[in-house]
Amino acid sequence: MNWALTLDLLGTFFFAISGSLLAAQRGYDIVGSLLLGSLTGLGGGVIRDLIIGVPPTAFAEPVHLAAPVAAAVLVFFLASGVERYSRPLLIFDAGGLALFCTTGTVKALEAGMNPVAAMLLGVTTGVGGGLLRDVVANRDPQLFNSSDLYAVPAFLGAAIVAGVWFTALPNVVTVFVAAIVVFVFRVLSLHFRWRIPHAKGQPKMGRASE
Amino acid sequence: MNWALTLDLLGTFFFAISGSLLAAQRGYDIVGSLLLGSLTGLGGGVIRDLIIGVPPTAFAEPVHLAAPVAAAVLVFFLASGVERYSRPLLIFDAGGLALFCTTGTVKALEAGMNPVAAMLLGVTTGVGGGLLRDVVANRDPQLFNSSDLYAVPAFLGAAIVAGVWFTALPNVVTVFVAAIVVFVFRVLSLHFRWRIPHAKGQPKMGRASE
Amino acid sequence: MNWALTLDLLGTFFFAISGSLLAAQRGYDIVGSLLLGSLTGLGGGVIRDLIIGVPPTAFAEPVHLAAPVAAAVLVFFLASGVERYSRPLLIFDAGGLALFCTTGTVKALEAGMNPVAAMLLGVTTGVGGGLLRDVVANRDPQLFNSSDLYAVPAFLGAAIVAGVWFTALPNVVTVFVAAIVVFVFRVLSLHFRWRIPHAKGQPKMGRASE
């Protein structure tokens, strides 16, 4: 098993845990937990592969399905009461984000994309699964929650990987270090509620009409 | 007209009816009814074809557009008051699910996918249109409603078709029988409110924070 | 720079402005504004290119990313208070709709699609970005708002372009005139609240159960 596949499976597993935890919070049954975990874990990668133009690995390599199955089983048996806490969901989501924004950039560069497009695709891969999860579960996406930073660490991780590409081939060490940076950045932003400026005007979540 | 196309059109028509009925419930106009019906009827197949890597049949074979048009017209002229009842929507949705999870698996197998991936793609095709319908109409997806079974019959239908693939080529009889099994299973689960275990903890639809 | 790319960039910019304005209304930060603008501006085109089967231009030609960046910066610095008004969002959305439904039809015809499929893909391209914007921001899609016309002008624009295809190659004049027709039609429908018949029965947005 090569390192790219290992990191991909780990990212899928982390995101799938976040999906299954949200399913538990929402009172979905075990099949709903498996489905939301699968969508979260595999969704970003499917979008990535469709845009690159290769057969989605989630289908081409069925080993990817083991990750959401393991996640759903784990959450089902171990998560007694854990769904009352939102922190585990956020931590696993941060792990998936860190791995997918970096490995997504690598896959795009390997497919011959220019570095700017590769960065964009890395960010899309990183935020895609969580966005699908939140949209399908009918809640305001984590991605747009302005009380912490979500896309900024993903941009940073994708930029590190794309930057290294100019000097050397990204390898397991590069990607792993970049992923750690993203993860730590994201968790610190959650803990300290780092923010960035809002567009001027109204505060939060208001809806206005003329 | 071959049988695969016939079943595909029938599934598209059933799902389109469900979409147009939801549109009527929501007070959309006839164009909104046509659009929601089209998205529901054609959405699962477009996802299926993009993942397989062939041109989406909804666009390659415009005859597919006849199904949502017929569905929107039917619902418009015949549905006086029917939108007050959720049962017709559920029955037509079950018909679409039954046909798409089985024919989706066949298409995936014919495209050379391994049986596990073909099953997954069959389930994705079956639940995809209804999920798009519910997400776009901004309601909690039927797929995750834990008071009945939705994905389980789809898995069963896809598994029957993939299983037969090992012994013989799935033909119209195989697919039709599998679809009937899915449909009956789904309708019985609705009628008797069959359930499967929840992840432990909170009851339904609650949202929690730390 | 050819005219097709120019119109494409302009449409992307208009849609991106509408996404960034919605982000401002919702209180998203500048990164959320950039992301929602990008999804709105680039989403329809990515769907179009995936269905046609070519690499999405948003990734193949990074110049497309300039449009949402410019839109997010503009909204951030100039939009003080503008997010209290829904009209600018609707006007820019109409501009994006007008350009994308016409250029989407051209791209589909150039890719060898039959005229009916090309019309459908033009409409899909036109309404896709705004639908993604509304779904991701968790609000009832503009597309289904039955107090004005949204898809009808898009169908008209796509039909004009596909009709001209039979007599001559659509060129910049054809597409531009068709886009103007769509834009004016859409704005008039907003101003005069043109409507089309509803499916019989209940009024608006009600949800019913048996």
Side-chain angles (χ1 to χ4, degrees):
Chain A
M1 186 186 284
N2 62 42
W3 64 267
L5 180 58
T6 310
L7 294 184
D8 205 25
L9 287 177
L10 202 61
T12 303
F13 178 71
F14 287 164
F15 264 140
I17 290 267
S18 81
S20 290
L21 283 172
L22 181 61
Q25 281 185 12
R26 290 295 177 96
Y28 296 171
D29 58 37
I30 176 86
V31 174
S33 172
L34 176 62
L35 291 171
L36 193 57
S38 301
L39 187 74
T40 313
L42 304 172
V46 169
I47 295 171
R48 176 199 64 209
D49 294 340
L50 289 180
I51 289 175
I52 293 181
V54 295
T57 53
F59 293 87
E61 303 169 355
V63 64
H64 282 84
L65 305 182
V69 170
V73 170
L74 258 176
V75 169
F76 186 72
F77 284 109
L78 301 180
S80 181
V82 80
E83 71 275 12
R84 275 176 292 142
Y85 306 99
S86 56
R87 186 158 296 177
L89 195 163
L90 290 169
I91 298 295
F92 280 103
D93 179 84
L97 179 72
L99 286 165
F100 272 20
C101 74
T102 48
T103 58
T105 308
V106 170
K107 290 216 179 192
L109 289 166
E110 286 178 348
M113 279 193 178
N114 63 71
V116 174
M119 262 188 63
L120 179 66
L121 191 56
V123 173
T124 303
T125 309
V127 307
L131 188 61
L132 285 174
R133 177 195 63 212
D134 295 342
V135 164
V136 158
N138 208 358
R139 69 169 193 170
D140 285 316
Q142 190 66 38
L143 176 59
F144 296 126
N145 188 334
S146 51
S147 67
D148 52 58
L149 304 181
Y150 193 93
V152 172
F155 270 110
L156 180 66
I160 293 174
V161 173
V164 169
W165 186 257
F166 283 112
T167 60
L169 289 183
N171 55 27
V172 63
V173 177
T174 318
V175 174
F176 196 70
V177 169
I180 294 285
V181 169
V182 174
F183 181 78
V184 171
F185 188 166
R186 169 74 182 138
V187 170
L188 290 177
S189 112
L190 280 168
H191 188 73
F192 294 107
R193 296 190 161 271
W194 289 341
R195 289 158 188 253
I196 39 178
H198 286 217
K200 288 167 190 165
Q202 275 179 279
K204 296 191 47 169
M205 298 293 148
R207 200 182 296 191
S209 54
E210 195 168 349
Chain B
M1 187 186 283
N2 63 43
W3 63 267
L5 180 58
T6 310
L7 294 185
D8 207 24
L9 287 177
L10 203 61
T12 303
F13 178 70
F14 287 163
F15 265 140
I17 290 269
S18 82
S20 290
L21 283 171
L22 181 60
Q25 281 185 12
R26 292 296 178 95
Y28 296 171
D29 58 37
I30 177 85
V31 174
S33 172
L34 176 63
L35 291 171
L36 193 57
S38 301
L39 188 74
T40 313
L42 305 172
V46 169
I47 295 172
R48 175 198 66 209
D49 294 339
L50 289 179
I51 289 176
I52 292 179
V54 295
T57 54
F59 294 86
E61 303 169 356
V63 64
H64 282 84
L65 305 183
V69 170
V73 170
L74 258 176
V75 169
F76 186 72
F77 284 109
L78 302 179
S80 181
V82 79
E83 71 276 11
R84 275 177 290 143
Y85 305 100
S86 56
R87 186 157 296 176
L89 195 163
L90 290 169
I91 298 295
F92 280 103
D93 179 85
L97 179 72
L99 286 165
F100 272 20
C101 74
T102 49
T103 58
T105 308
V106 170
K107 290 218 178 189
L109 289 166
E110 286 177 350
M113 280 194 176
N114 63 72
V116 175
M119 262 188 64
L120 179 66
L121 191 57
V123 173
T124 303
T125 309
V127 307
L131 187 60
L132 285 175
R133 176 195 64 213
D134 296 342
V135 164
V136 159
N138 208 359
R139 69 169 192 170
D140 286 316
Q142 190 65 37
L143 177 59
F144 297 126
N145 187 335
S146 50
S147 68
D148 52 57
L149 304 182
Y150 193 93
V152 172
F155 271 110
L156 181 66
I160 293 174
V161 172
V164 168
W165 186 259
F166 284 112
T167 60
L169 289 183
N171 55 28
V172 63
V173 178
T174 317
V175 174
F176 195 70
V177 169
I180 294 285
V181 169
V182 175
F183 181 78
V184 171
F185 189 166
R186 169 74 182 138
V187 170
L188 290 177
S189 111
L190 280 167
H191 188 75
F192 294 107
R193 296 192 159 269
W194 288 342
R195 290 157 187 253
I196 40 178
H198 286 217
K200 288 169 192 164
Q202 274 178 280
K204 297 191 46 169
M205 298 294 148
R207 199 182 297 192
S209 55
E210 193 168 350
Chain C
M1 187 187 284
N2 61 43
W3 63 266
L5 180 57
T6 310
L7 294 184
D8 206 24
L9 288 177
L10 202 62
T12 303
F13 178 71
F14 287 164
F15 265 141
I17 290 269
S18 81
S20 290
L21 282 171
L22 181 60
Q25 282 185 12
R26 291 296 176 95
Y28 296 171
D29 58 36
I30 176 85
V31 174
S33 173
L34 176 62
L35 291 171
L36 194 58
S38 301
L39 187 74
T40 313
L42 305 172
V46 169
I47 294 172
R48 176 198 64 210
D49 294 339
L50 289 179
I51 290 175
I52 292 179
V54 295
T57 52
F59 293 87
E61 302 169 356
V63 64
H64 282 84
L65 305 183
V69 169
V73 169
L74 256 176
V75 169
F76 186 72
F77 284 109
L78 301 180
S80 182
V82 79
E83 70 276 12
R84 275 177 290 142
Y85 305 99
S86 57
R87 188 158 293 177
L89 195 163
L90 290 169
I91 298 295
F92 280 102
D93 179 86
L97 179 72
L99 286 165
F100 272 21
C101 74
T102 48
T103 58
T105 307
V106 170
K107 290 217 179 191
L109 289 167
E110 285 178 350
M113 280 194 176
N114 63 70
V116 175
M119 262 188 64
L120 179 66
L121 192 55
V123 174
T124 303
T125 310
V127 307
L131 188 60
L132 285 174
R133 176 195 64 212
D134 295 342
V135 164
V136 158
N138 208 0
R139 69 170 193 170
D140 286 316
Q142 190 65 38
L143 177 59
F144 297 125
N145 188 335
S146 50
S147 68
D148 51 56
L149 304 181
Y150 194 93
V152 172
F155 271 110
L156 181 66
I160 292 173
V161 172
V164 169
W165 186 259
F166 284 112
T167 59
L169 290 184
N171 55 27
V172 63
V173 177
T174 317
V175 174
F176 195 70
V177 169
I180 294 285
V181 169
V182 174
F183 181 77
V184 171
F185 189 166
R186 168 72 182 141
V187 170
L188 290 177
S189 112
L190 280 167
H191 188 74
F192 293 108
R193 298 192 159 270
W194 289 342
R195 290 157 187 252
I196 39 178
H198 286 218
K200 288 168 192 164
Q202 275 178 280
K204 295 192 48 169
M205 298 295 148
R207 199 183 296 192
S209 55
E210 193 167 351

